[in-house]
Amino acid sequence: MLATTKANENDFPLYLFHQGKNAEAGKFFGAHAFKRGRGSYHRFRVWAPTAKSVSVIGEFNQWDRTQNPMEKISDTVWEVVIPKLKQFDLYKYSIETQNGQILEKSDPYAVHFETRPGTASKLFESSYQWEDAAWMQQRKKWIPYKEPMNIYEVHLGSWKHKEGEQFPSYLKFATEIIPYLKKMSYTHVEFMPLTEYPFDGSWGYQVTGYFAPTSRHGTPDDFRKMVDLFHQANIGVILDWVPAHFPKDAAGLCEFDGSYCYEYTDPLKMEHKSWGTRVFDYGKGEVCSFLISSACSWLEDYHVDGLRVDAVASMLYLDYDRQEWRPNVYGGHENLEAVDFLRRLNETVFSRNPDVLMIAEESTAWPLVTKPTDIGGLGFNFKWNMGWMNDMLSYVSLDPIYRSFNHDKITFSFFYCFSENYILPISHDEIVYGKCSMLKKMSGNETDQYATYRSFLAYMMAHPGKKLLFMGQEFAQVNEWNYQTQLDWHLLDQPEHQKMLLFSEALNKFYLEHAPLWQNDDSWKGFSWISNDDYQQSVIAFRRIDDDGNEVMVVCNFCPVLRNDYCIGVPFAGKYELIFNTDDAVFGGSGVSEKTFRTIAEPMHGFEQHISMTLAPLSVVYLKHVPTKKRLTKKGTTTKIHARRATKSIASSAETAKKKQNP
């Protein structure tokens, strides 16, 4: 065993670590290879503030805690250097607590783990050479608020795999899904957590390895290659990330050194009992450094384009899902330490990576979630619009006879949709635990369910906000999602599901190609009502507008009733053209709508003219104004014709004047 490093070399990173300001703690702690002379060594460091003694144990020393004891390099941090270790060697920390108990813990900063049910950490040094420079350079110029964002949420283990193949590899998954995502015009893929986790049934939301891609699907470099392949295909990668809580597994963070190390000591703040998890103590600088370093590692070491931060509401409120709770120093229910942590997290991430996404899954009306921290915001740049999601799923599940009494469910979200930078989410959470699939949420008979679902998706695509859809819903999966099996791809043998997939493909492509649907998602500049008050017929109409003034007009009929001669005010005189129709026969609809509409010079809805149209039952149509084209000739443009006519007129007038002067 070699002597440890000199204390003064550690002073600054340790100072930052204890202050909660070390965004690179993963480079200081954990196990790292280095060369000294001709020798190869690994340095191990761990934070265990109340431990009596700590040793590194592993297959290289027969798991004997007497072989490689660690020494303190500060009051709370332990270190040891061990020679001649190999890539993939298993190891743990053997921690003697103050009461003499021996705990065997995996490394909180490990970048690789053995596959469950094993819990040991693995030595791993990356040798990956990135090939996504073009993407990373392009990302620097990307302004997410002004760009299309259509996200496909996926659970890697249950998207598609062969029978008996429980965990498809990162590389196999990438090569199979990338052509599908390109064909379907998705701009981003969002993964349910791939940070290492012990229990399959948690879907990754109970994490033990905050710096490690799960070994279920391959090595850390396999994960890097997967991200690289997405980038080379111009697809962004978002990862679900969970700083709200962690599981109580014996090898994990729970009571790491025999004390409440990573979690709160206060029993009223320590646990989320309904989840069976412990809550991070955001008042400890060391915990904040740990979590912030984890976030930065995924964004920087793994080139992930964004993090969707899970369960933010559970972090913000002291009374979240608790019968008993302790107020903060001001008597309120806000967790002030968590608020400070989230602000520090976002400030740090964006100072280092200004071109990434930080997305809050925040289900309450907490103000200024996506506003800058210097004006009191939390500093995220996007937030899931859970209010919109709840209102719309409630609405489409109603028998249409009751929709007129619930008209506000389809209109209310438009009045706050620019208060934050929103993503409209239809996520995995909506199709599990008896909630049924999206198709089965729609009321009515089977025909009405498909028609309503197409209308819902077209309404969603036209509503301000970026989009997210969970895998399988693009072809109307019938069953709830089951993480243990692949999606029901066999449904695509049936015409209804074939048409639904064709519809989703066409709708996604339309969205991508029409800037009015995404260029001004964060501003009233990009939206204007035409009619929002026809509650008796459950019809709304509105305009989406891009920076150049191009428009898409949207008309939604949420009743299973054909509306003949339905009149809508329009902003411009002339002709309007049908450019997308959820009731198109190719999608399984009736195809009753006209293709073009001439304006009628009678005022309506605040405009000088209107159009009359046939609205199919349970349908959404997109229209655009078609400017009157000036007639062209073989010899030149209309401008030249006008010029020649003007010249002849001037010449004729001159000749007439001359005759009058000289009769």
Side-chain angles (χ1 to χ4, degrees), residues 236-292:
V237 178
I238 301 168
L239 183 67
D240 279 11
W241 183 69
V242 191
H245 60 128
F246 57 88
K248 294 190 281 189
D249 293 63
L253 299 177
C254 183
E255 299 179 27
F256 183 75
D257 61 355
S259 69
Y260 300 124
C261 187
Y262 283 87
E263 61 267 71
Y264 280 111
T265 58
D266 184 341
L268 297 186
K269 298 169 71 175
M270 180 191 299
E271 293 195 19
H272 284 305
K273 291 185 178 179
S274 62
W275 296 343
T277 56
R278 291 286 172 87
V279 178
F280 283 107
D281 184 347
Y282 308 105
K284 293 178 181 174
E286 298 87 353
V287 172
C288 293
S289 288
F290 170 78
L291 290 171
I292 291 171

Side-chain angles (χ1 to χ4, degrees), residues 359-370:
I359 304 165
E361 190 229 355
E362 203 287 304
S363 55
T364 75
W366 187 279
L368 306 178
V369 172
T370 60

Side-chain angles (χ1 to χ4, degrees), residues 521-628:
D521 274 329
D522 60 345
S523 167
W524 285 103
K525 177 182 174 184
F527 174 84
S528 178
W529 277 115
I530 294 175
S531 170
N532 65 357
D533 58 358
D534 189 4
Y535 67 92
Q536 292 182 323
Q537 300 186 86
S538 298
V539 175
I540 60 172
F542 56 89
R543 303 155 65 195
R544 294 301 310 277
I545 308 161
D546 70 12
D547 286 338
D548 296 324
N550 301 307
E551 295 195 12
V552 172
M553 195 171 83
V554 183
V555 185
C556 310
N557 176 18
F558 285 109
C559 264
V561 177
L562 181 71
R563 308 288 187 196
N564 290 307
D565 192 26
Y566 192 90
C567 295
I568 295 286
V570 292
F572 309 110
K575 184 173 72 172
Y576 281 79
E577 183 179 282
L578 180 70
I579 52 177
F580 194 88
N581 179 15
T582 66
D583 191 56
D584 197 308
V586 73
F587 303 143
S590 64
V592 300
S593 184
E594 310 95 323
K595 302 298 182 186
T596 59
F597 311 89
R598 294 282 180 181
T599 56
I600 300 166
E602 294 176 0
M604 181 173 285
H605 295 137
F607 301 109
E608 295 300 317
Q609 57 281 315
H610 70 270
I611 59 174
S612 173
M613 58 193 305
T614 300
L615 293 184
L618 299 171
S619 69
V620 171
V621 294
Y622 298 162
L623 309 174
K624 74 171 182 179
H625 180 248
V626 182
T628 303

Side-chain angles (χ1 to χ4, degrees), residues 31-34 42 87-88 111 123-128 221 224:
H32 298 282
F34 68 97
H42 278 77
Q87 186 91 316
F88 303 117
V111 297
L123 296 178
F124 186 86
E125 296 292 328
S126 176
S127 59
Y128 189 74
D221 280 356
R224 288 181 171 92

Side-chain angles (χ1 to χ4, degrees), residues 20-23 210 241-244 282 287-300 307-310 312 315 337-354 356-361 373 377-381:
K21 298 179 180 179
N22 190 336
Y210 275 82
W241 183 69
V242 191
Y282 308 105
V287 172
C288 293
S289 288
F290 170 78
L291 290 171
I292 291 171
S293 296
S294 168
C296 290
S297 176
W298 291 105
L299 297 167
E300 297 167 13
L307 299 177
R308 177 268 201 181
V309 182
D310 182 67
V312 170
M315 301 168 65
E337 297 157 353
V339 172
D340 288 343
F341 162 73
L342 290 170
R343 288 172 175 160
R344 189 184 308 174
L345 166 70
N346 287 317
E347 288 170 354
T348 304
V349 164
F350 286 122
S351 69
R352 297 167 64 96
N353 308 278
V356 300
L357 303 169
M358 291 295 287
I359 304 165
E361 190 229 355
T373 59
L378 293 183
F380 291 93
N381 54 2

